[in-house]
Amino acid sequence: MAKSPVHPRRRRFIKLTATGLVVAPLATALLRGNASAADLIKESDPAAVKLKYKADATKAPERTNPAELCDNCLLYESKDSAYGTCSVLENKLVAAKGWCTAWSG
Ligand code: SF4
């Protein structure tokens, strides 16, 4: 029986590397999906309560200018059409159509 030209340790290294290249992107995608859901701020979050944050700006009685929304606030960084991160709310996700008293134009 002919001996394999690839050393067993080398063969094992190649297998582990190939497995890692396949698994790592999948794990990253899964973690990213879970992190997004977990990072969506709740109106009941103490930081959100302090700034009177509402996911639906029309439900914020303190808002006097109907043009003010999270998606046109300087502190908002869009992630998609519905949500983005807010630097004053611990970079958690806020609703694009939300609002809080820290709105900055
Ligand atoms: Fe929305 Fe701006 Fe308030 Fe953040 S600071 S919650 S982006 S209005």
Side-chain angles (χ1 to χ4, degrees):
M1 184 165 157
K3 213 171 181 186
S4 172
V6 180
H7 191 279
R9 281 174 140 180
R10 191 174 211 181
R11 191 178 309 140
R12 187 166 191 273
F13 173 77
I14 292 168
K15 277 185 185 174
L16 289 174
T17 302
T19 303
L21 289 173
V22 171
V23 172
L26 291 173
T28 301
L30 287 171
L31 288 172
R32 192 173 290 152
N34 289 343
S36 294
D39 289 347
L40 183 59
I41 198 156
K42 293 180 181 158
E43 291 178 359
S44 58
D45 184 294
V49 169
K50 192 173 177 183
L51 296 175
K52 300 180 170 77
Y53 168 77
K54 296 288 180 205
D56 177 355
T58 63
K59 304 234 165 78
E62 299 84 2
R63 186 176 73 138
T64 55
N65 182 350
E68 292 179 2
L69 295 166
C70 286
D71 68 1
N72 62 17
C73 173
L74 289 176
L75 305 167
Y76 181 81
E77 189 173 320
S78 180
K79 293 293 178 197
D80 59 41
S81 59
Y83 297 98
T85 55
C86 172
S87 57
V88 296
L89 291 178
E90 303 158 6
N91 283 319
K92 289 185 176 175
L93 291 173
V94 296
K97 301 301 173 203
W99 182 86
C100 85
T101 56
W103 183 90
S104 181

